Amino acid sequence: MQKKVKVKPNSKQQKIEEQADGSLTVYLKSPPVDGKANEELIKLLAEKFDLSKSDIRIKSGLSSRQKLIEIDIGI
């Protein structure tokens, strides 16, 4: 499964909002430095979907706020 994700780093609180089009907006406390925001994003998504962090990959947009995330739900 693939999801479009818009990341907002340096937010006051962590949260995930699902948009009407099925994409996600993720608010992260981490700054976008040295991959910290990407690590926090993967951790949050793993908790949301009840998966391990290795089941979630950033397919595109590593250094962008717009990312394409691949989630291996192992059907």
Side-chain angles (χ1 to χ4, degrees):
M1 168 173 66
Q2 292 185 353
K3 282 261 188 209
K4 287 184 181 177
V5 175
K6 184 175 185 179
V7 176
K8 299 203 174 194
N10 292 324
S11 295
K12 291 199 188 293
Q13 61 183 4
Q14 289 180 329
K15 66 179 176 179
I16 299 174
E17 292 179 350
E18 191 149 359
Q19 305 302 315
D21 64 358
S23 67
L24 300 174
T25 301
V26 181
Y27 296 85
L28 303 172
K29 289 183 177 179
S30 299
V33 178
D34 296 331
K36 289 182 179 164
N38 287 337
E39 288 174 26
E40 185 182 355
L41 172 66
I42 289 173
K43 182 179 171 220
L44 268 179
L45 290 174
E47 289 171 6
K48 176 179 173 58
F49 293 108
D50 197 26
L51 298 168
S52 70
K53 292 190 285 186
S54 62
D55 291 332
I56 297 174
R57 289 177 298 286
I58 299 174
K59 197 161 182 189
S60 66
L62 267 175
S63 60
S64 169
R65 289 177 192 242
Q66 300 284 341
K67 301 181 185 300
L68 184 61
I69 304 295
E70 188 167 77
I71 301 169
D72 184 4
I73 52 176
I75 298 174

